[in-house]
Amino acid sequence: MKKLILLLLAAAMLLPAMAQEVEVTSQRRLLEGVEGAAYFPVLNSTGDRLLFVTEGGALKFHDLNDGVTTVVTTYYVAGNDACWGGDGKVYFVTQQMGEDHLIYRTGQCYDAATRKTECVTEPQHGAVRAVSATRGGALKAPQHSYNSASDIGSAAWTEGSRVHVTVGGEERVFSPVDSWAGYLWASLSPDGKRVAFFAAGKGIVVIDLRGQMLAMLGNYEMPCWYNNEYLVAQNATDDGHQFTSSQLMLLKADGTFKTALTTPASMAMQPTCGGGKIVYTTIDGLLYEMKINIYQ
């Protein structure tokens, strides 16, 4: 009898996860016939403006309301080196080779309202990270960093095997899991209460603002918050030389539920979320917008 009761209790605990259903309600191609290959899309929080990098490395943004695409810079911008700040501006990093044949990176800020770009850090050798914050943005670097204001609000970013979190003007640094190859892709949940990031060899980790581990969501890449309870991530495989499959996964932030949004053969990758939308690209650089419903 005791064993039966334990089994019934375990089944009851699983019911919420088993009852969840996800429906893809719409899916459409973006920029078809207008742009060439587009990679590393980044939606703003309201989901009406989209950054992307061209095959040649130029950075552009597309307005999903009026359909207009604008060039931010023709200088080379590497993938994941651009973000929307909480002030509506674009923070990004350009790269150029110096006379000494070293790569130099420069932090830039683009105002989408005035269409003007400001150089905010000197060219420097070494990593420069564009960081989105709730009240603005930042460029983080070992030598010359930049904050858009004295108080940029809350932010999260990675450096080596450390995740940095700024809350109320206080910077906190955590290493909640061992990862010899480091952390990537840190971001705050929309309500600012949790941080998700990728730890090489471990997968996606969710922590609170004190660095306490809340969940490990599996060995997926490029996590982005769909809302406060769910994330979208890339599940890719390769043969050591090239991708052999890639699909999008929807993951519950507490680790109790996951489901595929696309098939492995879709080669869907590099997801971004905002305003209830999911935008992703394919291995061929085709951009798509997806909308979903989550039922309990």
Side-chain angles (χ1 to χ4, degrees):
M1 178 62 71
K2 184 178 179 181
K3 185 176 181 180
L4 177 61
I5 291 173
L6 290 173
L7 288 172
L8 289 173
L9 286 172
M13 292 175 65
L14 289 173
L15 278 176
M18 293 171 62
Q20 288 175 297
E21 293 183 11
V22 179
E23 176 190 12
V24 176
T25 58
S26 69
Q27 192 166 357
R28 66 177 179 128
R29 172 92 179 272
L30 299 177
L31 304 177
E32 185 173 8
V34 178
E35 292 285 336
Y39 299 97
F40 299 99
V42 183
L43 278 169
N44 63 354
S45 61
T46 52
D48 57 359
R49 286 183 167 179
L50 177 72
L51 291 171
F52 64 92
V53 176
T54 68
E55 197 163 23
L59 179 66
K60 298 183 179 183
F61 89 82
H62 179 69
D63 192 311
L64 293 166
N65 292 321
D66 59 22
V68 175
T69 301
T70 303
V71 176
V72 175
T73 183
T74 56
Y75 287 107
Y76 184 81
V77 177
N80 297 310
D81 273 354
C83 67
W84 292 100
D87 53 5
K89 295 180 180 180
V90 179
Y91 296 87
F92 65 99
V93 182
T94 56
Q95 296 186 17
Q96 288 182 293
M97 183 174 290
E99 294 181 357
D100 54 4
H101 301 291
L102 295 176
I103 298 296
Y104 287 84
R105 297 172 176 86
T106 305
Q108 313 266 6
C109 176
Y110 173 80
D111 190 330
T114 63
R115 302 293 198 267
K116 292 183 179 179
T117 298
E118 178 186 3
C119 177
V120 295
T121 71
E122 294 293 325
Q124 53 192 302
H125 180 57
V128 181
R129 296 170 179 82
V131 176
S132 178
T134 55
R135 296 194 185 102
L139 284 306
K140 298 294 184 179
Q143 299 178 48
H144 306 290
S145 292
Y146 167 83
N147 286 348
S148 62
S150 57
D151 181 7
I152 61 173
S154 300
W157 70 97
T158 62
E159 183 179 315
S161 294
R162 299 178 300 276
V163 58
H164 297 248
V165 182
T166 297
V167 181
E170 175 193 0
E171 183 175 326
R172 307 167 184 175
V173 184
F174 309 115
S175 295
V177 295
D178 292 331
S179 176
W180 65 270
Y183 300 167
L184 291 169
W185 305 309
S187 62
L188 284 167
S189 59
D191 62 9
K193 295 181 178 180
R194 287 171 289 179
V195 176
F197 64 94
F198 171 82
K202 300 296 178 66
I204 298 173
V205 181
V206 180
I207 61 173
D208 64 17
L209 301 185
R210 294 292 177 184
Q212 298 299 307
M213 190 188 306
L214 301 176
M216 297 188 71
L217 307 186
N219 197 20
Y220 309 112
E221 307 91 28
M222 304 191 74
C224 58
W225 291 91
Y226 174 73
N227 57 25
N228 289 320
E229 302 301 325
Y230 291 89
L231 298 99
V232 178
Q234 166 186 299
N235 179 28
T237 61
D238 64 79
D239 60 7
H241 301 283
Q242 59 186 5
F243 287 111
T244 54
S245 72
S246 189
Q247 66 183 141
L248 300 190
M249 301 292 297
L250 181 72
L251 311 170
K252 196 164 186 180
D254 62 6
T256 61
F257 174 81
K258 63 181 177 181
T259 190
L261 297 176
T262 66
T263 65
S266 68
M267 300 303 284
M269 54 184 58
Q270 300 168 4
T272 179
C273 302
K277 301 173 183 176
I278 302 166
V279 171
Y280 64 93
T281 191
T282 68
I283 196 168
D284 298 317
L286 307 182
L287 282 178
Y288 288 91
E289 176 193 279
M290 174 189 290
K291 294 181 180 180
I292 63 174
N293 272 338
I294 302 171
Y295 303 97
Q296 289 279 34

